[in-house]
């Protein structure tokens, strides 16, 4: 990791009732959500592969550039597990449906990012 980035440890939690499947892509995003009337801005992201298993926990680290962080702004973390390995959200994919605020100082434990299956 470069000195101009800070690691954010994330624990992605797949739902216990999701359908099991083979390999899927996982995209973890850190977004600036400060502007209520504008789309969120992606400030960091990470892509990885995993097998989808009910109740699975995926722990990963996203390196966030320090120059993109401003204590006066608000940031969220979200994730998308795509069974078709695309960025398009489709039926059967797993997505974040609640706000998960970014926490950096004294993080200690990973941010929990629970997902729900798109039905």
């Amino acid at each position: 990791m470069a000195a101009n980035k800070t690691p954010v440890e994330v624990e992605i939690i797949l739902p216990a009732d999701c359908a099991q499947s083979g390999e899927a892509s996982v995209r973890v995003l850190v977004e600036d959500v400060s502007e209520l009337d504008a789309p969120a801005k992606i400030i960091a992201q990470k892509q990885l592969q995993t097998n989808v298993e009910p109740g699975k926990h995926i722990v990963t680290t996203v390196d966030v550039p320090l120059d993109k962080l401003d204590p006066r702004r608000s940031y969220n973390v979200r994730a998308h597990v795509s069974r078709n390995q695309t960025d398009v959200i489709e039926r059967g994919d797993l997505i974040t449906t609640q706000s998960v605020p970014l926490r950096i100082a004294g993080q200690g434990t990973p941010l929990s990012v629970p997902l729900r299956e798109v039905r």
Side-chain angles (χ1 to χ4, degrees):
M1 179 192 66
N4 59 349
K5 294 185 179 186
T6 187
V8 175
E9 193 172 17
V10 175
E11 180 180 33
I12 301 163
I13 304 167
L14 278 53
D17 63 347
C18 73
Q20 186 163 339
S21 69
E23 193 169 275
S25 66
V26 180
R27 186 171 181 217
V28 184
L29 302 146
V30 178
E31 298 175 313
D32 182 339
V33 294
S34 302
E35 307 296 327
L36 297 178
D37 58 348
K41 295 177 185 160
I42 299 169
I43 63 166
Q45 62 182 310
K46 183 172 187 177
Q47 189 112 13
L48 54 137
Q49 299 294 118
T50 191
N51 287 323
V52 175
E53 300 169 18
K56 183 175 184 176
H57 291 221
I58 304 163
V59 178
T60 190
T61 301
V62 180
D63 291 328
V64 179
L66 290 172
D67 65 346
K68 299 284 186 182
L69 296 174
D70 180 338
R72 298 168 295 185
R73 301 192 67 80
S74 299
Y75 304 94
N76 276 351
V77 177
R78 70 179 174 96
H80 171 207
V81 175
S82 174
R83 296 176 193 265
N84 293 324
Q85 303 193 34
T86 69
D87 289 340
V88 178
I89 297 173
E90 301 175 88
R91 176 178 259 164
D93 285 358
L94 307 171
I95 61 170
T96 308
T97 59
Q98 66 188 49
S99 174
V100 180
L102 178 64
R103 170 180 88 228
I104 294 180
Q107 185 174 349
T109 59
L111 284 173
S112 292
V113 181
L115 302 184
R116 295 191 61 173
E117 189 166 8
V118 177
R119 302 199 189 264

